[in-house]
Amino acid sequence: MIQDSLIIPQRHERFIKKICETDIVIGLESEEGFATSSSNDYEDEDENPIQMICFWSEKALAKACAKDGWANYTPTEIPLSEFLENWCVGMNNDGLLIGTNFDQNMFGHEVEPFDLILEIIAELKSSGKNLDLQKFEKIEDLETQVKEL
């Protein structure tokens, strides 16, 4: 388990860097929608695991998790701007968590959607990369709104 506590944050950092490089986030999708799971780390006020949707930075990583209950799911690309503006905001409103670069054993980093938005924006800024958004003029506008909420 000590190894997992070291590897999981590293995989999360790779997730952030890779999606900012490619402008693509990968989800697992089937006819029923996107693959969901229960948090390993967080519970609601009734001590039930909080629901989350997992995302990956590469199709191969997502495909490796398409087994057992997710065997009929296939990797689907989501543009980074859509992920930030629609997915993260919507998931925050729905009280869901985001899992990043989970492995075949369903271990990965779990994060609040607004915290993930801020991490992605920080990476975009540090790499000097701009992202065309639909609902915001620039990433700083999104960042300001997320920080206010």
Side-chain angles (χ1 to χ4, degrees):
M1 285 303 161
I2 291 172
Q3 181 182 1
D4 286 342
S5 67
L6 298 173
I7 292 173
I8 289 172
Q10 291 172 348
R11 285 200 322 247
H12 178 67
E13 283 182 37
R14 282 197 302 269
F15 172 83
I16 298 288
K17 288 190 181 303
K18 184 77 172 183
I19 66 172
C20 289
E21 287 172 12
T22 62
D23 292 341
I24 297 292
V25 178
I26 308 296
L28 282 175
E29 186 178 26
S30 75
E31 291 178 7
E32 293 92 44
F34 280 80
T36 61
S37 185
S38 298
S39 172
N40 295 313
D41 300 325
Y42 299 97
E43 296 176 338
D44 63 18
E45 59 276 353
D46 298 323
E47 298 184 8
N48 296 314
I50 295 177
Q51 290 297 299
M52 70 178 164
I53 301 178
C54 297
F55 296 95
W56 294 265
S57 56
E58 300 173 44
K59 281 187 180 180
L61 297 174
K63 192 171 180 121
C65 293
K67 61 180 191 170
D68 301 326
W70 290 353
N72 62 334
Y73 289 77
T74 56
T76 301
E77 292 186 359
I78 303 166
L80 181 56
S81 58
E82 180 184 327
F83 179 72
L84 290 172
E85 292 183 288
N86 298 325
W87 284 87
C88 290
V89 171
M91 289 176 68
N92 186 77
N93 292 340
D94 293 341
L96 299 172
L97 292 171
I98 294 175
T100 62
N101 277 358
F102 268 56
D103 63 18
Q104 303 90 319
N105 299 314
M106 292 308 297
F107 288 103
H109 187 76
E110 299 178 16
V111 63
E112 297 275 348
F114 278 6
D115 291 341
L116 183 59
I117 288 174
L118 296 176
E119 288 182 73
I120 293 169
I121 289 172
E123 176 62 26
L124 289 169
K125 284 178 163 184
S126 75
S127 64
K129 189 167 181 184
N130 193 23
L131 189 65
D132 290 329
L133 301 173
Q134 301 297 311
K135 299 176 181 176
F136 300 89
E137 277 193 49
K138 51 190 177 192
I139 60 172
E140 289 81 7
D141 297 336
L142 173 59
E143 181 180 34
T144 300
Q145 274 205 348
V146 166
K147 284 181 177 179
E148 288 174 0
L149 296 172

